[in-house]
Amino acid sequence: MDGIPDALAIITVADKTVADVPEDLDTILDSLDMAAMFQLEAHKGPLLVFANTVYYDGTYDQNFIGPLSGQQRNFKLSKEVRAIKYGVGYRVGSWKLGKSKDSSTMALYPWIGGFYFHDDYEVKVDHLGVILNGVDIMGTLNSTHR
């Protein structure tokens, strides 16, 4: 799908790429465990306070041949993402969209606010006997824009 950026996750061992996760829309949807999207609004006269939230929880796993052992191994990528757009607006105009008294109304709310992004991720590579340990890496990406 055009317009949606790819954010690749590449796992390398001894300078060799062993897993390449195409974090495109198809992979995101195939790996989906749970998702939610909702909007909260509060109006008081012409004042508006809002928050739009998207939540994603997903797991992707893939088998690969270990370059050192030559044995099949598995890695799992787990993600829990929250994206929140929030702000405050003020109604500067309101217009009827028809001539009847039951017609819908359109309103203009210029707003100011921000965007918060939180991404917890975990990468696990399974153990291979007692010689080659597994890998368990956890981290968090946070970003706030105003």
Side-chain angles (χ1 to χ4, degrees), residues 77-136:
L77 171 65
S78 301
K79 294 177 76 61
E80 186 176 346
V81 178
R82 292 170 205 83
I84 303 169
K85 182 175 80 171
Y86 56 90
V88 62
Y90 190 83
R91 184 178 65 229
V92 295
S94 183
W95 301 270
K96 280 225 174 258
L97 296 178
K99 296 190 187 247
S100 74
K101 68 176 189 170
D102 295 334
S103 295
S104 298
T105 303
M106 179 178 75
L108 178 63
Y109 282 91
W111 63 276
I112 187 167
F115 180 76
Y116 172 72
F117 180 79
H118 180 92
D119 181 359
D120 287 326
Y121 62 89
E122 181 175 18
V123 176
K124 287 185 177 187
V125 178
D126 64 354
H127 294 266
L128 184 62
V130 292
I131 298 172
L132 296 174
N133 291 332
V135 176
D136 193 355

Coordinates of all heavy atoms in Angstrom, one line a residue, residues 77-136:
L77 N 9.7 -11.3 17.6 CA 9.7 -9.8 17.8 C 8.3 -9.5 18.3 O 7.3 -9.8 17.7 CB 9.9 -9.0 16.5 CG 9.7 -7.5 16.5 CD1 10.7 -6.9 17.5 CD2 9.8 -7.0 15.1
S78 N 8.2 -8.9 19.5 CA 6.9 -8.5 20.1 C 6.9 -7.0 20.3 O 7.9 -6.4 20.7 CB 6.8 -9.1 21.5 OG 6.8 -10.5 21.4
K79 N 5.8 -6.4 19.9 CA 5.6 -4.9 20.0 C 4.3 -4.6 20.7 O 3.3 -5.2 20.4 CB 5.7 -4.3 18.6 CG 7.0 -4.5 17.9 CD 7.0 -3.9 16.5 CE 7.1 -2.4 16.4 NZ 8.2 -1.8 17.0
E80 N 4.4 -3.5 21.5 CA 3.2 -2.9 22.1 C 3.3 -1.4 21.9 O 4.2 -0.8 22.4 CB 3.1 -3.2 23.6 CG 1.8 -2.8 24.2 CD 1.7 -3.2 25.6 OE1 2.4 -4.1 26.1 OE2 0.8 -2.7 26.3
V81 N 2.4 -0.8 21.1 CA 2.6 0.5 20.6 C 1.3 1.3 21.0 O 0.2 0.9 20.9 CB 2.7 0.6 19.1 CG1 2.8 2.0 18.6 CG2 4.0 -0.2 18.6
R82 N 1.6 2.6 21.5 CA 0.5 3.5 21.8 C 0.9 4.8 21.0 O 2.0 5.3 21.2 CB 0.4 3.8 23.3 CG -0.1 2.7 24.1 CD 0.1 3.0 25.6 NE 0.2 1.8 26.3 CZ 1.3 1.1 26.5 NH1 2.5 1.5 26.0 NH2 1.3 0.0 27.3
A83 N -0.1 5.4 20.3 CA 0.0 6.7 19.6 C -1.1 7.5 20.0 O -2.3 7.1 19.9 CB 0.1 6.5 18.1
I84 N -0.9 8.7 20.6 CA -1.9 9.6 21.1 C -1.8 11.0 20.6 O -0.7 11.6 20.7 CB -1.9 9.6 22.7 CG1 -2.0 8.2 23.2 CG2 -3.0 10.5 23.2 CD1 -1.7 8.1 24.7
K85 N -2.8 11.4 19.9 CA -2.9 12.8 19.5 C -3.8 13.5 20.5 O -4.9 13.1 20.7 CB -3.4 13.0 18.1 CG -3.5 14.4 17.5 CD -3.9 14.5 16.1 CE -5.4 14.3 16.0 NZ -5.9 14.6 14.6
Y86 N -3.4 14.7 21.0 CA -4.2 15.3 22.1 C -4.1 16.8 21.8 O -3.2 17.4 21.2 CB -3.6 15.0 23.5 CG -2.2 15.3 23.6 CD1 -1.8 16.6 24.1 CD2 -1.2 14.4 23.3 CE1 -0.4 16.9 24.2 CE2 0.2 14.7 23.4 CZ 0.5 16.0 23.9 OH 1.8 16.3 24.0
G87 N -5.1 17.5 22.4 CA -5.0 19.0 22.2 C -6.3 19.7 22.8 O -7.2 19.0 23.3
V88 N -6.3 21.0 22.5 CA -7.5 21.8 22.9 C -7.8 22.7 21.7 O -6.9 23.1 21.0 CB -7.1 22.6 24.2 CG1 -6.0 23.6 23.9 CG2 -8.4 23.4 24.6
G89 N -9.1 22.9 21.5 CA -9.5 23.7 20.3 C -10.6 24.7 20.7 O -11.1 24.6 21.9
Y90 N -10.9 25.6 19.8 CA -11.9 26.6 20.1 C -12.8 26.8 18.9 O -12.3 27.0 17.8 CB -11.3 27.9 20.5 CG -12.2 28.9 21.0 CD1 -12.6 28.9 22.4 CD2 -12.8 29.9 20.2 CE1 -13.5 29.8 22.9 CE2 -13.7 30.8 20.7 CZ -14.0 30.8 22.1 OH -14.9 31.7 22.6
R91 N -14.1 26.6 19.0 CA -15.0 26.8 17.9 C -15.1 28.2 17.5 O -15.5 29.1 18.2 CB -16.4 26.2 18.3 CG -17.4 26.3 17.1 CD -18.7 25.7 17.4 NE -19.4 26.6 18.4 CZ -20.0 26.1 19.5 NH1 -20.0 24.9 19.8 NH2 -20.5 27.0 20.3
V92 N -14.7 28.5 16.2 CA -14.8 29.9 15.7 C -15.9 30.1 14.7 O -16.2 31.2 14.3 CB -13.4 30.3 15.0 CG1 -12.3 30.3 16.0 CG2 -13.1 29.3 13.8
G93 N -16.6 29.0 14.4 CA -17.7 29.2 13.5 C -18.6 27.9 13.4 O -18.1 26.8 13.7
S94 N -19.8 28.1 13.0 CA -20.7 27.0 12.9 C -21.7 27.3 11.8 O -22.3 28.4 11.7 CB -21.5 26.8 14.2 OG -22.3 25.7 14.2
W95 N -21.9 26.4 10.8 CA -22.7 26.6 9.7 C -23.7 25.4 9.4 O -23.2 24.3 9.5 CB -21.8 26.8 8.4 CG -20.9 27.9 8.5 CD1 -21.1 29.2 8.2 CD2 -19.6 27.8 9.1 NE1 -20.0 29.9 8.5 CE2 -19.0 29.1 9.0 CE3 -18.8 26.8 9.6 CZ2 -17.8 29.5 9.4 CZ3 -17.5 27.1 10.0 CH2 -17.0 28.4 10.0
K96 N -24.9 25.7 9.1 CA -25.9 24.7 8.8 C -25.6 24.2 7.4 O -25.3 25.0 6.5 CB -27.3 25.3 8.8 CG -27.8 25.3 10.2 CD -29.3 24.8 10.2 CE -29.8 24.7 11.6 NZ -29.8 23.3 12.0
L97 N -25.8 22.9 7.1 CA -25.5 22.3 5.8 C -26.7 22.1 5.0 O -26.7 21.6 3.9 CB -24.8 20.9 6.0 CG -23.4 21.0 6.7 CD1 -22.8 19.6 6.9 CD2 -22.5 21.9 5.9
G98 N -27.9 22.6 5.5 CA -29.1 22.5 4.7 C -30.1 23.6 5.2 O -29.8 24.3 6.1
K99 N -31.2 23.6 4.6 CA -32.2 24.7 4.9 C -33.2 24.3 6.0 O -33.8 25.1 6.6 CB -32.9 25.1 3.6 CG -32.0 25.7 2.6 CD -32.7 26.4 1.5 CE -31.7 26.8 0.5 NZ -31.7 28.2 0.3
S100 N -33.4 22.9 6.2 CA -34.3 22.5 7.2 C -33.7 22.7 8.6 O -32.5 22.7 8.8 CB -34.8 21.1 7.0 OG -33.8 20.2 7.3
K101 N -34.6 22.7 9.6 CA -34.1 22.9 11.0 C -33.4 21.7 11.5 O -32.7 21.7 12.5 CB -35.3 23.3 11.9 CG -36.3 22.2 12.1 CD -37.3 22.7 13.1 CE -38.2 21.5 13.5 NZ -39.0 21.8 14.6
D102 N -33.6 20.5 10.9 CA -32.9 19.2 11.3 C -31.6 19.0 10.5 O -31.0 17.9 10.6 CB -33.9 18.1 11.1 CG -35.1 18.1 12.0 OD1 -35.0 18.8 13.0 OD2 -36.1 17.5 11.6
S103 N -31.2 19.9 9.7 CA -30.0 19.8 8.9 C -28.8 19.7 9.8 O -28.7 20.3 10.9 CB -29.8 21.0 7.9 OG -30.8 21.0 7.0
S104 N -27.8 18.9 9.3 CA -26.5 18.8 10.0 C -25.8 20.2 10.1 O -26.0 21.0 9.2 CB -25.6 17.8 9.3 OG -26.2 16.5 9.4
T105 N -24.9 20.3 11.0 CA -24.1 21.5 11.2 C -22.6 21.2 11.1 O -22.2 20.2 11.6 CB -24.4 22.1 12.6 OG1 -25.8 22.4 12.7 CG2 -23.7 23.4 12.8
M106 N -21.9 22.1 10.4 CA -20.4 22.0 10.3 C -19.8 23.0 11.2 O -20.3 24.2 11.2 CB -20.0 22.1 8.9 CG -18.5 22.0 8.7 SD -17.9 22.2 7.0 CE -18.2 24.0 6.8
A107 N -18.8 22.7 12.0 CA -18.1 23.6 12.9 C -16.6 23.6 12.6 O -16.0 22.6 12.2 CB -18.4 23.3 14.3
L108 N -16.0 24.8 12.8 CA -14.5 24.9 12.6 C -13.9 25.1 14.0 O -14.2 26.0 14.7 CB -14.2 26.1 11.7 CG -12.8 26.5 11.5 CD1 -12.1 25.3 10.7 CD2 -12.6 27.8 10.7
Y109 N -12.9 24.1 14.3 CA -12.2 24.1 15.6 C -10.7 24.2 15.3 O -10.1 23.1 15.2 CB -12.5 22.8 16.3 CG -13.8 22.8 17.0 CD1 -15.0 22.2 16.4 CD2 -14.0 23.2 18.3 CE1 -16.2 22.2 17.0 CE2 -15.2 23.1 19.0 CZ -16.3 22.6 18.3 OH -17.5 22.5 19.0
P110 N -10.1 25.3 15.2 CA -8.6 25.4 15.2 C -8.1 24.8 16.5 O -8.8 25.1 17.6 CB -8.3 26.8 15.0 CG -9.5 27.5 14.6 CD -10.7 26.7 15.1
W111 N -7.1 24.1 16.5 CA -6.6 23.5 17.8 C -5.1 23.6 17.9 O -4.4 23.8 16.9 CB -7.1 22.0 17.9 CG -6.6 21.1 16.8 CD1 -7.1 21.0 15.6 CD2 -5.4 20.3 16.9 NE1 -6.3 20.0 14.9 CE2 -5.3 19.6 15.7 CE3 -4.5 20.0 17.9 CZ2 -4.3 18.7 15.4 CZ3 -3.5 19.1 17.6 CH2 -3.4 18.5 16.4
I112 N -4.6 23.4 19.1 CA -3.2 23.3 19.4 C -3.0 22.0 20.3 O -3.9 21.8 21.1 CB -2.7 24.5 20.1 CG1 -1.2 24.5 20.2 CG2 -3.3 24.8 21.4 CD1 -0.5 25.8 20.6
G113 N -2.0 21.3 20.1 CA -1.8 20.1 20.9 C -0.5 19.4 20.6 O 0.5 20.1 20.2
G114 N -0.5 18.1 20.7 CA 0.7 17.4 20.5 C 0.5 15.9 20.1 O -0.7 15.5 19.9
F115 N 1.6 15.2 19.9 CA 1.5 13.8 19.5 C 2.5 13.0 20.4 O 3.7 13.4 20.5 CB 1.8 13.6 18.0 CG 1.8 12.2 17.6 CD1 0.6 11.6 17.3 CD2 3.0 11.5 17.4 CE1 0.5 10.3 16.9 CE2 2.9 10.2 16.9 CZ 1.7 9.6 16.7
Y116 N 2.0 11.9 21.0 CA 2.9 11.1 21.9 C 2.9 9.7 21.3 O 1.9 9.1 20.9 CB 2.3 11.1 23.3 CG 3.0 10.1 24.2 CD1 4.3 10.3 24.6 CD2 2.4 8.9 24.6 CE1 4.9 9.4 25.5 CE2 3.0 8.0 25.4 CZ 4.3 8.3 25.9 OH 4.9 7.4 26.7
F117 N 4.1 9.2 21.1 CA 4.3 7.8 20.6 C 5.2 7.0 21.6 O 6.2 7.5 22.0 CB 5.1 7.9 19.2 CG 5.3 6.6 18.6 CD1 4.3 6.0 17.9 CD2 6.6 6.0 18.7 CE1 4.5 4.7 17.3 CE2 6.8 4.8 18.1 CZ 5.8 4.1 17.4
H118 N 4.7 5.8 21.9 CA 5.4 4.9 22.9 C 5.4 3.5 22.3 O 4.3 3.0 21.9 CB 4.6 4.9 24.2 CG 5.2 4.1 25.3 ND1 6.1 4.6 26.2 CD2 5.1 2.8 25.5 CE1 6.5 3.6 27.0 NE2 5.9 2.5 26.6
D119 N 6.6 2.9 22.2 CA 6.7 1.6 21.5 C 7.6 0.7 22.4 O 8.8 1.0 22.5 CB 7.4 1.8 20.2 CG 7.6 0.5 19.4 OD1 7.2 -0.6 19.9 OD2 8.1 0.6 18.3
D120 N 7.0 -0.2 23.1 CA 7.7 -1.2 23.8 C 8.0 -2.4 22.9 O 7.1 -2.9 22.2 CB 6.9 -1.8 25.0 CG 6.9 -0.8 26.2 OD1 7.8 0.0 26.4 OD2 5.8 -0.7 26.8
Y121 N 9.2 -2.8 22.8 CA 9.6 -4.0 21.9 C 10.4 -5.0 22.7 O 11.1 -4.7 23.6 CB 10.3 -3.5 20.7 CG 11.6 -2.8 20.9 CD1 12.8 -3.6 21.0 CD2 11.7 -1.5 21.1 CE1 14.0 -3.0 21.2 CE2 12.9 -0.9 21.3 CZ 14.0 -1.6 21.4 OH 15.2 -1.0 21.6
E122 N 10.3 -6.2 22.2 CA 11.2 -7.3 22.8 C 11.6 -8.2 21.6 O 10.7 -8.6 20.8 CB 10.4 -8.1 23.8 CG 11.3 -9.2 24.5 CD 10.6 -9.9 25.6 OE1 9.3 -9.8 25.7 OE2 11.3 -10.5 26.4
V123 N 12.9 -8.6 21.5 CA 13.4 -9.5 20.6 C 13.9 -10.7 21.3 O 14.8 -10.5 22.2 CB 14.5 -8.8 19.7 CG1 15.0 -9.9 18.7 CG2 13.9 -7.6 18.9
K124 N 13.5 -11.9 20.9 CA 14.0 -13.1 21.6 C 14.5 -14.0 20.5 O 13.8 -14.2 19.5 CB 12.9 -13.8 22.4 CG 12.5 -13.2 23.6 CD 11.5 -14.0 24.4 CE 11.2 -13.4 25.7 NZ 10.3 -14.2 26.5
V125 N 15.7 -14.6 20.7 CA 16.2 -15.6 19.9 C 16.4 -16.8 20.8 O 17.0 -16.8 21.8 CB 17.6 -15.2 19.2 CG1 18.2 -16.4 18.4 CG2 17.5 -14.0 18.4
D126 N 15.8 -18.0 20.3 CA 15.8 -19.2 21.2 C 17.2 -19.7 21.4 O 18.1 -19.5 20.7 CB 14.9 -20.3 20.6 CG 15.4 -20.8 19.3 OD1 16.4 -20.3 18.7 OD2 14.7 -21.7 18.8
H127 N 17.3 -20.5 22.5 CA 18.6 -21.1 22.9 C 18.8 -22.3 22.0 O 17.9 -22.9 21.4 CB 18.5 -21.7 24.4 CG 18.4 -20.6 25.4 ND1 19.5 -20.0 26.0 CD2 17.3 -19.9 25.8 CE1 19.1 -19.1 26.8 NE2 17.8 -19.0 26.7
L128 N 20.1 -22.6 21.8 CA 20.5 -23.8 21.0 C 21.4 -24.6 21.9 O 22.6 -24.4 21.9 CB 21.1 -23.4 19.7 CG 21.5 -24.5 18.8 CD1 20.3 -25.2 18.3 CD2 22.3 -24.0 17.6
G129 N 20.8 -25.6 22.6 CA 21.6 -26.4 23.5 C 22.3 -25.6 24.6 O 21.8 -24.6 25.0
V130 N 23.4 -26.1 25.0 CA 24.2 -25.4 26.1 C 25.3 -24.5 25.6 O 25.9 -23.8 26.3 CB 24.7 -26.4 27.1 CG1 23.6 -27.1 27.9 CG2 25.6 -27.4 26.5
I131 N 25.6 -24.7 24.3 CA 26.8 -23.9 23.7 C 26.4 -22.5 23.3 O 27.0 -21.6 23.7 CB 27.4 -24.7 22.5 CG1 27.9 -26.1 23.0 CG2 28.5 -23.9 21.9 CD1 28.3 -27.0 21.9
L132 N 25.3 -22.4 22.6 CA 24.9 -21.1 22.1 C 23.7 -20.6 22.8 O 22.6 -21.2 22.8 CB 24.5 -21.2 20.6 CG 25.7 -21.5 19.7 CD1 25.3 -21.7 18.2 CD2 26.8 -20.5 19.7
N133 N 23.9 -19.5 23.6 CA 22.8 -18.9 24.3 C 21.8 -18.2 23.4 O 22.1 -17.9 22.3 CB 23.3 -17.9 25.3 CG 24.1 -18.6 26.4 OD1 23.9 -19.7 26.8 ND2 25.1 -17.9 27.0
G134 N 20.6 -18.0 24.0 CA 19.6 -17.2 23.3 C 19.9 -15.8 23.6 O 20.8 -15.4 24.2
V135 N 19.0 -14.9 23.0 CA 19.1 -13.5 23.1 C 17.7 -13.0 23.6 O 16.7 -13.5 23.1 CB 19.5 -12.8 21.8 CG1 19.5 -11.3 21.9 CG2 20.8 -13.3 21.3
D136 N 17.7 -12.1 24.5 CA 16.5 -11.5 25.0 C 16.8 -10.0 25.1 O 17.5 -9.6 26.1 CB 16.0 -12.1 26.3 CG 14.6 -11.7 26.6 OD1 14.0 -10.9 25.9 OD2 14.1 -12.2 27.6

